[in-house]
Amino acid sequence: MKYLLILLAGLLYMQPASACRCLPLPALENTAQLEGYSFIARVKVTKVKGQQIKIKVKELFRGEKRKLVFEPAKGTSCDLFIAKGEEWLLFGKMENGKMAIHACDRNMEYRTRNMPPSDAGQQLLGKLRELRNTGS
């Protein structure tokens, strides 16, 4: 009986597991789709410490060069799993005075350490370059 009560009490307090859910983003077609971002760049990750990610900007599309971005969802189901040595296409927004990146934005791993760029990463980088050059 004691075990049954413990089991029932546990079931009452169970919370459903939550997973990161993002609405699919449409393919990037024009600069209007980038309006909400104050930082867009291809970067190389030099260090990850908790929610702070140190970066070296390799190609800047919007905003100012910076050395640090913040990933508020680090350690949650919405973690981007960014690691030192990788290259990323980052789309950041200012939050509480910090440049923040999130899984549900257009952030994309461009190159895993010592590997060639991903096809999806090359396509997105090509589109960013095209939009920068045409201004559309």
Side-chain angles (χ1 to χ4, degrees), residues 85-97:
E86 296 175 341
E87 287 186 35
W88 280 74
L89 298 170
L90 295 182
F91 296 76
K93 301 173 184 177
M94 288 301 291
E95 290 181 12
N96 301 319

Side-chain angles (χ1 to χ4, degrees), residues 1-126:
M1 183 68 169
K2 178 180 173 182
Y3 296 110
L4 182 59
L5 289 174
I6 292 172
L7 177 64
L8 287 173
L11 290 173
L12 289 174
Y13 291 104
M14 284 183 63
Q15 302 265 334
S18 61
C20 189
R21 293 187 200 176
C22 302
L23 294 175
L25 293 170
L28 183 58
E29 298 293 330
N30 56 61
T31 56
Q33 294 171 286
L34 303 174
E35 289 294 320
Y37 301 109
S38 50
F39 176 74
I40 303 172
R42 179 171 65 100
V43 305
K44 182 163 186 167
V45 178
T46 59
K47 186 176 183 180
V48 178
K49 185 177 181 184
Q51 296 177 330
Q52 294 183 3
I53 301 166
K54 289 189 178 184
I55 58 171
K56 179 179 180 186
V57 174
K58 299 189 79 130
E59 193 170 355
L60 184 66
F61 296 96
R62 178 174 288 172
E64 298 177 4
K65 279 191 174 185
R66 48 185 62 249
K67 296 180 180 182
L68 187 69
V69 294
F70 178 69
E71 185 184 357
K74 192 78 171 164
T76 71
S77 64
C78 289
D79 193 326
L80 287 165
F81 299 100
I82 294 175
K84 179 181 177 181
E86 296 175 341
E87 287 186 35
W88 280 74
L89 298 170
L90 295 182
F91 296 76
K93 301 173 184 177
M94 288 301 291
E95 290 181 12
N96 301 319
K98 297 177 182 178
M99 186 57 63
I101 58 171
H102 296 278
C104 291
D105 289 327
R106 293 187 180 273
N107 298 299
M108 178 182 292
E109 184 178 20
Y110 176 70
R111 180 192 316 248
T112 304
R113 187 180 336 179
N114 301 322
M115 296 296 288
S118 69
D119 290 341
Q122 285 182 312
Q123 288 177 351
L124 182 55
L125 180 60

Side-chain angles (χ1 to χ4, degrees), residues 117-134:
S118 69
D119 290 341
Q122 285 182 312
Q123 288 177 351
L124 182 55
L125 180 60
K127 190 62 179 181
L128 287 169
R129 288 174 176 161
E130 176 188 321
L131 292 174
R132 175 183 57 199
N133 293 336
T134 62

